[in-house]
Amino acid sequence: MLNIPDAPEIPGTTHLHSGKVRDLYRIDEGEHAGNLLMVASDRISAYDFVLSSTIPDKGEILTRMSLWWFETLGVPHHVLSTDVPASVTGRAVVVQSLEMFPVECVARGYLTGSGLGDYEQTGEVCGIALPAGLVDGSRLPEPIFTPATKAAVGDHDENVSYDAVVATVGEADAAALRAATLDVYGRAEAIARERGIILADTKFEFGRGADGSLVLADEVLTPDSSRFWPADAWQPGQTQPSFDKQIVRNWLTSPASGWDKKSGEQPPALPAGVVELTRAKYVEAYEKLTGQTF
């Protein structure tokens, strides 16, 4: 169960929605009236809880990383401007209001996470048969499109087959979403690899623009929406070290936290050391990928 703090008021806007990490506003006045303001907070979630602790600078890191990817990849995207109110400078963007597709567009180049669980039970991921003998961290013969349903805030997304996407959005849009997902993943994976990072999998969200075109939206290729592994430490058959919030998950499930994730109770606040280590991992991922100092 999510416990999301009230979104801050921002003059000239109307708050529309808050998720685990982002707050969304409609812009009511000025040159961008009618478009949206997307604000990345410093909140962090784990096991379907928004924690009481925040990770300093996380919202700005995720925003900068998404902007870097949008520019580097050169694909149609939803960002219109970074000219935002002073109270959210650095962690907010003005974006198009799109008709969003109700599909989480996931690309996997490596087997881990929920995909590994499905494979161990059926030999398939989202209806795609994979070779026998793969283990946690195995590189797949080629990247695969493994979509998921968009769950309500606080619920788990559920892996679905490509046929389920066709049934939801139609054959033409399903094919376009799959092609765009695998294209962007393939280019991003190669870029990350050059910088010593394995992009194991990632989630994209797409919307339809006013002209009917496919537009990449939300955050892209961040440690919150992707699994990043250090390439020099990759070793199939074990849990890979990662540039994300795994440090938080590990502490919450350790005896040190005193928390039982099956209890349904809100997790405890994070120790200062866990907060700092988590922030350091986000900063390291940003700096290794972009070559820029945060």
Side-chain angles (χ1 to χ4, degrees):
M1 144 179 201
L2 288 173
N3 182 26
I4 300 174
D6 292 337
E9 291 188 9
I10 299 177
T13 72
T14 300
H15 175 245
L16 298 177
H17 171 75
S18 288
K20 293 178 182 177
V21 174
R22 282 168 182 73
D23 300 311
L24 193 65
Y25 300 79
R26 183 182 66 242
I27 300 172
D28 297 324
E29 55 189 51
E31 65 173 309
H32 295 298
N35 292 304
L36 303 174
L37 181 71
M38 189 173 77
V39 182
S41 74
D42 291 341
R43 296 190 294 268
I44 191 164
S45 66
Y47 301 114
D48 289 327
F49 288 90
V50 173
L51 306 187
S52 59
S53 304
T54 57
I55 307 300
D57 301 317
K58 177 172 175 281
E60 185 171 350
I61 293 167
L62 297 185
T63 299
R64 282 200 202 181
M65 192 177 292
S66 290
L67 288 169
W68 182 84
W69 278 113
F70 282 134
E71 181 178 354
T72 301
L73 292 168
V75 298
H77 59 78
H78 69 157
V79 177
L80 297 172
S81 175
T82 55
D83 183 12
V84 298
S87 62
V88 291
T89 295
R91 58 189 181 94
V93 286
V94 176
V95 301
Q96 299 176 55
S97 179
L98 303 170
E99 178 191 351
M100 298 301 294
F101 288 98
V103 179
E104 300 280 1
C105 293
V106 180
R108 300 177 190 269
Y110 293 76
L111 188 63
T112 193
S114 64
L116 175 64
D118 292 347
Y119 170 79
E120 289 176 340
Q121 290 184 352
T122 66
E124 301 179 345
V125 180
C126 295
I128 300 171
L130 297 176
L134 300 181
V135 296
D136 193 356
S138 288
R139 188 174 188 178
L140 301 177
E142 60 183 10
I144 57 176
F145 177 61
T146 58
T149 58
K150 277 190 181 180
V153 173
D155 293 335
H156 286 292
D157 296 336
E158 181 181 350
N159 294 343
V160 297
S161 68
Y162 177 71
D163 288 344
V165 178
V166 172
T168 301
V169 303
E171 192 166 343
D173 284 335
L177 290 171
R178 178 170 62 182
T181 297
L182 293 176
D183 173 64
V184 176
Y185 171 80
R187 287 193 280 152
E189 193 273 340
I191 291 167
R193 180 175 294 279
E194 290 174 356
R195 290 158 171 77
I197 291 179
I198 289 174
L199 174 58
D201 56 42
T202 194
K203 171 189 73 73
F204 299 121
E205 296 196 28
F206 291 93
R208 195 193 311 276
D211 61 357
S213 62
L214 201 65
V215 179
L216 185 57
D218 201 58
E219 65 175 317
V220 291
L221 298 156
T222 72
D224 271 18
S225 65
S226 315
R227 281 189 177 91
F228 292 129
W229 299 337
D232 58 4
W234 173 58
Q235 187 173 341
Q238 63 181 30
T239 301
Q240 312 300 317
S242 60
F243 296 101
D244 60 17
K245 58 187 176 185
Q246 193 59 44
I247 296 164
V248 172
R249 298 188 192 101
N250 290 347
W251 182 81
L252 287 174
T253 55
S254 74
S257 76
W259 179 69
D260 179 1
K261 71 177 182 178
K262 297 179 182 178
S263 68
E265 296 179 357
Q266 178 73 19
L270 300 174
V274 173
V275 169
E276 183 52 39
L277 280 173
T278 303
R279 180 188 180 278
K281 282 294 181 186
Y282 279 79
V283 171
E284 185 181 0
Y286 172 80
E287 293 184 342
K288 283 179 73 74
L289 277 171
T290 67
Q292 301 168 5
T293 301
F294 181 75

